[in-house]
Amino acid sequence: MISETLRASARAAAHINKGERPSRLDVPDDDTTGPSLSELAGEVICKPTPTYTETLEAVYVLEACLRNYRYDPGMGGAAIYSLYEQVSTTILPGADLLTHIETEEGWRNVKRSPAKLTEVTGSPETSSQELRRFVAISSLGTDILKYLDELLPLSDYRDHVRVIISLAAFTDIKCSWVSEASFANASYLLTKHHSIATKPHVLVDHILQELIRPLFARSKHPEITARGRKAMQPSPRIHNSSLLEAETKPWKFSKVYCVTVFRWALQNLEKSLVEANWPLVVPPILTLIDDDSTEYKAKGCELLTILLAITPPALLERTGLGEVFCDAVMPCLSYLPSLTPQDQSLRLLREAYPTLVALSRARYPSRDQQKERMEMLDQVLRKGVLKGHFHCSDDVRITEFLVNQIRLLVNEMGIWSVKHLKDLTPLLSDILSDPFGTAYPPLLAAAIQTLHTIILTGQPRIAAHRAEVLRGLAFCWLGLTDDEPKVQNSYELKKGLKDAVKLLIAAVQSEVDINADIKSLVHSDGRLTEFFDL
């Protein structure tokens, strides 16, 4: 029998749970015999439609009893099967949690701040508590799956695919329903049983074919065919109202976890299986990128990056989807403040830029195609970074991100990037010479590091732009000198400035008399003597 003391402790814990990693309950001393597995199997779904509080109570009891349970192989096999089935179903996020918060972005907002719900429901406490209780259920539930695996290995469970899909839903720590505990437990079990979890029949038949394909069947991308090729005559786009979205996009509502499962399947899909299953993976990815939500656009970009890493270049060329992918992702670079909130913008940009770089490598893999690849990266730099900075130069976090992308793109382009020196050096010098720049040191650090890269990469042409470079470096040094007591990491910033000067001198001294330029600057402001070591 299950101790009443344990039930009371579980009931109290379930009502006060705040959503952090739930504390474990101890089996009380009066529970001398312990419940049987059959009794435990009836705990997860104790009522036909249990509330999250009731489910959490049951999960607390299960975790406490199974933690030190010693299984007799001759008894309880059916009960363990039942527990596997019930727990793996219980831990999946369902549509009922999205009654008031209809998208995954809503989950994220609640996880950050329950007060966000006030605008949506007028009753933030009830909804946020339910969401937080679900996080606790999934954390304890994945603990229980680990205990069950010790009693009866997952590989021996006849319906192990159901459990694998449930665990895969917790393999992305960025998802708002995933806690550190559930992520760690899912990763452990999937790694332990990697050989059975990643078999083709699991990844292709059960996940891609049976789970993902039906969920995306009613939200097709208009520019591709059913075979995953570029459509010669794209079909017109159909914009569904928010009322119809729940029906046409179940992957966004009732099966919100499926994108995470799809991501895990792609990460484990062998290269040899990509071409045969191309129609199963491409349409959902393009549908995600085409969605109105920045969160799902970001997920689509991430999935595309994963797919490109395992896609043969010849397949991309043969299907004609290189251009389609590029046309789908490029508009993501324009999701900028103030039309797009800063956090959402950064979330999308952090996925879109790496995707475009990966796409440039996949579309043009050979040295003979270097010119075409550079032309694509030119467009990313011009339409993405430079245009983005023009619109958002007053947003320091966006600007910091864009400056870091300049460094990465210049490294990708190499000497081909020198054509952009006329735009990049004034941009960086303006950032470094900003009188209020010391208010946000990370932007100065990013600009200094990027300037290092530009000087090294553009050495053959940097001499013509030395005045702009010296202007930015000198003004930044003076600003740091004036505000040094208030600036974090001022020593590292000043060292970076000095390193930039050394790189510049080494790069141009054979072409021009840069020492004369430096002496002129020192003459105009004596505080620069220390900077130039004169």
Side-chain angles (χ1 to χ4, degrees):
M1 294 292 293
I2 297 174
S3 165
E4 288 301 322
T5 305
L6 179 59
R7 289 188 184 277
S9 298
R11 190 174 303 114
H15 278 83
I16 66 173
N17 183 268
K18 300 297 183 182
E20 300 90 357
R21 176 172 181 130
S23 56
R24 293 173 171 177
L25 302 181
D26 293 324
V27 178
D29 295 335
D30 63 339
D31 196 2
T32 55
T33 59
S36 67
L37 285 174
S38 297
E39 289 177 308
L40 291 177
E43 279 297 305
V44 178
I45 304 178
C46 50
K47 293 183 179 181
T49 56
T51 65
Y52 280 104
T53 302
E54 291 168 339
T55 302
L56 184 53
E57 290 177 27
V59 171
Y60 266 123
V61 171
L62 270 173
E63 194 279 333
C65 292
L66 286 174
R67 193 184 320 135
N68 299 308
Y69 198 91
R70 293 296 177 264
Y71 174 50
D72 180 355
M75 299 178 62
I80 293 182
Y81 291 156
S82 178
L83 284 170
Y84 262 129
E85 178 183 351
Q86 292 186 43
V87 174
S88 61
T89 302
T90 299
I91 62 176
L92 286 175
D96 49 343
L97 283 180
L98 301 178
T99 300
H100 299 297
I101 310 165
E102 293 186 340
T103 66
E104 208 272 330
E105 289 175 14
W107 284 66
R108 192 176 304 279
N109 287 336
V110 172
K111 196 173 183 180
R112 286 197 298 258
S113 173
K116 296 268 186 183
L117 278 173
T118 304
E119 303 171 4
V120 181
T121 67
S123 179
E125 184 176 356
T126 301
S127 296
S128 64
Q129 283 180 352
E130 293 232 328
L131 288 171
R132 292 169 188 274
R133 283 181 182 130
F134 174 78
V135 172
I137 289 170
S138 60
S139 298
L140 289 169
T142 51
D143 278 334
I144 292 170
L145 290 177
K146 283 182 64 178
Y147 303 148
L148 292 175
D149 179 64
E150 293 171 2
L151 299 176
L152 179 69
L154 179 59
S155 56
D156 294 339
Y157 174 44
R158 61 192 175 211
D159 197 11
H160 58 266
V161 174
R162 179 199 298 267
V163 182
I164 289 169
I165 290 176
S166 295
L167 291 170
F170 296 90
T171 53
D172 186 357
I173 195 65
K174 297 189 297 296
C175 291
S176 49
W177 62 83
V178 179
S179 66
E180 291 185 6
S182 60
F183 174 78
N185 289 334
S187 300
Y188 167 79
L189 286 172
L190 290 172
T191 301
K192 180 180 178 181
H193 299 285
H194 184 267
S195 60
I196 66 161
T198 59
K199 285 185 176 180
H201 81 92
V202 176
L203 299 178
V204 176
D205 297 342
H206 290 281
I207 294 181
L208 297 182
Q209 184 73 41
E210 295 179 7
L211 175 65
I212 301 301
R213 187 173 189 174
L215 294 177
F216 285 84
R218 297 185 62 184
S219 52
K220 297 179 180 178
H221 194 278
E223 295 187 19
I224 58 172
T225 67
R227 299 296 301 168
R229 295 176 177 270
K230 181 179 179 181
M232 299 303 295
Q233 294 183 338
S235 57
R237 293 179 180 270
I238 300 175
H239 295 281
N240 294 309
S241 67
S242 57
L243 296 176
L244 294 176
E245 270 203 331
E247 297 180 8
T248 59
K249 299 180 179 180
W251 47 268
K252 192 176 180 181
F253 295 89
S254 59
K255 303 288 186 181
V256 67
Y257 61 87
C258 76
V259 177
T260 307
V261 177
F262 185 25
R263 172 181 178 269
W264 176 82
L266 275 182
Q267 288 175 324
N268 290 279
L269 193 66
E270 294 181 3
K271 289 185 177 181
S272 58
L273 297 175
V274 172
E275 183 168 359
N277 297 287
W278 191 249
L280 297 177
V281 296
V282 170
I285 291 175
L286 283 173
T287 298
L288 289 170
I289 297 174
D290 199 44
D291 192 67
D292 295 334
S293 163
T294 54
E295 177 64 28
Y296 282 97
K297 283 182 178 292
K299 290 185 176 186
C301 290
E302 181 186 10
L303 292 174
L304 180 54
T305 303
I306 296 171
L307 176 62
L308 291 171
I310 57 175
T311 299
L315 176 60
L316 200 61
E317 182 178 359
R318 190 165 64 252
T319 57
L321 288 185
E323 183 181 358
V324 174
F325 288 151
C326 186
D327 291 343
V329 179
M330 280 294 289
C332 295
L333 306 185
S334 63
Y335 280 69
L336 300 164
S338 56
L339 293 178
T340 304
Q342 185 193 73
D343 287 349
Q344 293 182 28
S345 176
L346 286 171
R347 169 80 174 102
L348 179 54
L349 296 177
R350 285 171 181 151
E351 299 293 348
Y353 276 97
T355 299
L356 288 167
V357 172
L359 181 58
S360 73
R361 295 171 183 164
R363 289 183 73 184
Y364 310 112
S366 68
R367 294 184 62 87
D368 295 339
Q369 297 173 303
Q370 190 174 28
K371 180 180 177 181
E372 290 82 357
R373 180 169 183 251
M374 292 304 115
E375 289 175 350
M376 179 178 171
L377 293 177
D378 280 342
Q379 293 299 309
V380 175
L381 187 56
R382 292 184 185 278
K383 295 183 178 181
V385 174
L386 297 179
K387 187 177 179 180
H389 181 262
F390 176 79
H391 287 287
C392 297
S393 58
D394 56 339
D395 189 313
V396 291
R397 289 186 65 203
I398 296 291
T399 301
E400 177 194 3
F401 174 83
L402 294 176
V403 167
N404 284 325
Q405 295 311 301
I406 292 174
R407 184 175 71 256
L408 297 175
L409 287 169
V410 168
N411 275 329
E412 285 288 326
M413 299 175 72
I415 193 63
W416 292 73
S417 66
V418 296
K419 68 173 75 172
H420 300 290
L421 286 176
K422 64 182 185 302
D423 299 310
L424 298 180
T425 51
L427 185 155
L428 295 174
S429 291
D430 287 343
I431 291 172
L432 292 171
S433 60
D434 188 338
F436 301 104
T438 54
Y440 190 69
L443 177 55
L444 295 180
I448 291 169
Q449 292 175 5
T450 301
L451 194 56
H452 289 178
T453 300
I454 285 178
I455 293 172
L456 289 170
T457 307
Q459 180 177 353
R461 296 288 184 269
I462 197 66
H465 305 276
R466 67 187 185 281
E468 278 290 353
V469 176
L470 287 172
R471 175 177 71 87
L473 295 175
F475 275 111
C476 188
W477 177 273
L478 294 175
L480 288 172
T481 301
D482 292 339
D483 299 333
E484 191 162 7
K486 300 180 291 183
V487 180
Q488 292 182 343
N489 302 323
S490 61
Y491 173 80
E492 289 81 0
L493 292 173
K494 282 192 166 184
K495 183 178 182 302
L497 292 172
K498 283 193 170 186
D499 290 342
V501 168
K502 293 176 182 177
L503 290 173
L504 181 64
I505 292 174
V508 306
Q509 62 184 353
S510 62
E511 301 179 51
V512 297
D513 185 9
I514 193 172
N515 289 323
D517 299 328
I518 291 174
K519 289 178 181 178
S520 176
L521 287 171
V522 173
H523 179 72
S524 63
D525 195 320
R527 292 176 296 172
L528 294 173
T529 302
E530 179 187 356
F531 179 36
F532 292 110
D533 293 328
L534 296 178

